[in-house]
Amino acid sequence: MRSRRTNNLPIVLDALALPEDDPATRRLADAFGGQPAAVTERRVGVPTRRSRHLQFASGGEIWLHDDTVVAVVLRLEPTPVAPRGIDLSDWLGIDDRATLEQLGTVMGTRPRFAGFGTPYFTIDGGFARATFRDDRGWKEPGNLLSLAFTVEQPGLAIRPEDDDCPTCSDLLARGDDDEQVDVDATTAALADAVAAGLLTEDTHWVRLADLRPLHASGLMERAESQLTCTTCRRIICFTLLRNASPTFGFHVLDDARRRPLGEIPPVDQWGDAARIEQERDAMQYVDHEPAAWFLVQQRGVLHLQARYTRSAMVDDSVLVRLDESELTAYRTGGHDYLSALARAIHDSAPYDEASAYHARNLYRQPGAKELRATVGAAIVNHTWLAQQRR
Ligand SMILES: [Zn+2]
């Protein structure tokens, strides 16, 4: 009969941020059963970070980055290496069927959330992130899958476990020198993954297809594409620099958004004939009012993207094609008229069917996803994000 008061948490927390051969890490490994049953090593990104994953038959796992413990995982969910999963009563003195509330009692604090499905606790010396079945089964017993103890706050740093993401962890092609990116092969792998729907391109950055020609033109200090993995949600930042070697790394949203990107020069300065032709037919930026609206045009047709907020949680935009009377008013009223129109759209609560703009909102119609990307590409140099990163 095990004691209900077992608490081996200090053994876990002591090892965080230490090297593998530190006595504290060895003590943790001993508590997990001595020798790991499986060890996986992986080189991540360029500049390269070494990721090492020790899995013990007991269900304990240790993740190291460049020989520093970044995460300790207590995995309840069975794996081939640990068919029975960890026994939580050995570690926290609680039942394996613990709910989030019961975890809070043991941790002595209330959970916080990094995103909707990621509860975590701030504890002395680190963070404890809990994963439940379907990312939401935390109220019912029996749904706890794992507890990850990390140095960095969940949501502000990538999860070490994602180093093994089956979707995006093998997209980087290395050159002959391991510290070099093979730009052509990596671009091709990323493009294939986008085409397969495994990654999405962020249109606020340089389009992947434009990355090499922009770099070759020498017009940009740094040309960067950002792509989000649909599996692990990490953002791949692939960067070609004018005066340095290319880089490839994984980031959380907050980090990715803060990365610098200069203004993207007009396509006729760097694109080939086909690309310039494509741009002529593409959606183009015309004007905007910060935080309120963008006016774009495609082959002479004007569209207004007007922002609306519904609550702290809902901040979105509608896209309407200007009708005849609006075009007439725009010709005389210009920028100020569009500001008034955008305000009228906002005040009409366009998410509500009663709003005249609800039915006109092209972002509610088939093809909306592509349309958002098209408009996003047209306004890439003019968004608040573009201002912010300069
Ligand atoms: Zn991924």
Side-chain angles (χ1 to χ4, degrees):
M1 189 68 191
R2 284 193 178 89
S3 160
R4 299 296 294 169
R5 292 169 55 195
T6 311
N7 185 348
N8 281 323
L9 209 50
I11 299 178
V12 171
L13 297 174
D14 282 352
L16 289 179
L18 293 174
E20 188 170 349
D21 66 0
D22 190 277
T25 312
R26 288 216 295 267
R27 192 161 63 242
L28 174 62
D30 285 343
F32 278 156
Q35 289 299 315
V39 177
T40 324
E41 288 208 44
R42 183 183 278 285
R43 292 166 303 161
V44 179
V46 170
T48 300
R49 173 164 56 68
R50 300 195 77 81
S51 171
R52 194 166 145 84
H53 182 203
L54 314 179
Q55 289 176 276
F56 298 84
S58 60
E61 298 177 16
I62 301 175
W63 284 90
L64 299 113
H65 284 171
D66 295 331
D67 197 30
T68 298
V69 175
V70 290
V72 177
V73 179
L74 307 180
R75 192 174 300 284
L76 293 95
E77 192 184 17
T79 65
V81 170
R84 284 185 304 140
I86 205 138
D87 186 342
L88 216 51
S89 63
D90 288 344
W91 290 89
L92 299 177
I94 53 170
D95 196 82
D96 287 350
R97 295 167 52 78
T99 61
L100 186 61
E101 195 181 340
Q102 288 166 327
L103 285 176
T105 306
V106 177
M107 305 287 177
T109 178
R110 293 177 63 81
R112 298 169 68 193
F113 286 83
F116 288 113
T118 310
Y120 71 94
F121 300 92
T122 304
I123 49 178
D124 193 23
F127 299 89
R129 167 166 46 83
T131 305
F132 288 86
R133 205 175 305 285
D134 303 327
D135 285 335
R136 58 189 160 82
W138 51 72
K139 284 189 177 162
E140 301 297 323
N143 286 329
L144 181 60
L145 299 179
S146 70
L147 277 171
F149 296 87
T150 58
V151 182
E152 302 211 65
Q153 183 176 330
L156 299 186
I158 57 165
R159 294 174 296 197
E161 305 97 290
D162 290 338
D163 285 350
D164 280 345
C165 174
T167 302
C168 67
S169 56
D170 289 318
L171 296 172
L172 166 64
R174 291 172 192 275
D176 296 337
D177 172 351
D178 269 356
E179 278 302 313
Q180 295 277 332
V181 180
D182 180 332
V183 173
D184 289 347
T186 300
T187 305
L190 292 172
D192 285 350
V194 170
L198 302 174
L199 300 179
T200 56
E201 256 192 292
D202 187 332
T203 50
H204 293 101
W205 299 79
V206 175
R207 284 168 36 171
L208 187 61
D210 293 341
L211 200 56
R212 282 173 298 173
L214 265 169
H215 173 63
S217 76
L219 293 169
M220 290 188 84
E221 181 73 38
R222 38 184 300 138
E224 177 165 306
S225 292
Q226 294 196 357
L227 308 105
T228 304
C229 174
T230 54
T231 304
C232 71
R233 308 307 302 171
R234 287 188 300 180
I235 297 169
I236 295 172
C237 298
F238 181 27
T239 316
L240 304 186
L241 298 130
R242 187 157 59 201
N243 298 315
S245 306
T247 63
F248 182 105
F250 297 93
H251 299 267
V252 294
L253 186 62
D254 273 19
D255 283 347
R257 279 189 169 169
R258 286 199 193 96
R259 293 170 65 82
L261 179 74
E263 186 151 343
I264 301 169
V267 69
D268 54 4
Q269 293 179 17
W270 52 268
D272 61 15
R275 181 67 182 84
I276 292 169
E277 179 75 17
Q278 186 189 23
E279 187 70 11
R280 199 169 301 135
D281 290 338
M283 189 77 83
Q284 284 165 353
Y285 166 86
V286 181
D287 193 6
H288 88 291
E289 176 62 31
W293 55 264
F294 286 93
L295 185 68
V296 291
Q297 70 96 13
Q298 188 172 28
R299 295 182 210 97
V301 178
L302 289 168
H303 288 88
L304 183 71
Q305 175 176 282
R307 180 182 172 195
Y308 68 88
T309 53
R310 184 176 181 175
S311 65
M313 298 296 285
V314 179
D315 185 336
D316 202 355
S317 296
V318 301
L319 185 76
V320 293
R321 179 178 173 157
L322 296 190
D323 65 20
E324 281 307 321
S325 66
E326 288 160 349
L327 283 170
T328 306
Y330 171 54
R331 274 181 217 113
T332 51
H335 187 101
D336 290 344
Y337 166 70
L338 293 180
S339 289
L341 177 58
R343 209 171 311 120
I345 292 173
H346 176 279
D347 293 345
S348 78
Y351 46 84
D352 194 313
E353 281 181 27
S355 163
Y357 302 99
H358 184 269
R360 290 179 61 192
N361 181 9
L362 298 173
Y363 286 160
R364 293 190 62 88
Q365 294 173 17
K369 198 175 159 209
E370 292 74 18
L371 198 52
R372 275 185 195 266
T374 305
V375 174
I379 65 178
V380 59
N381 278 335
H382 307 278
T383 58
W384 67 267
L385 195 61
Q387 311 306 323
Q388 197 182 43
R389 66 194 175 205
R390 269 179 211 133

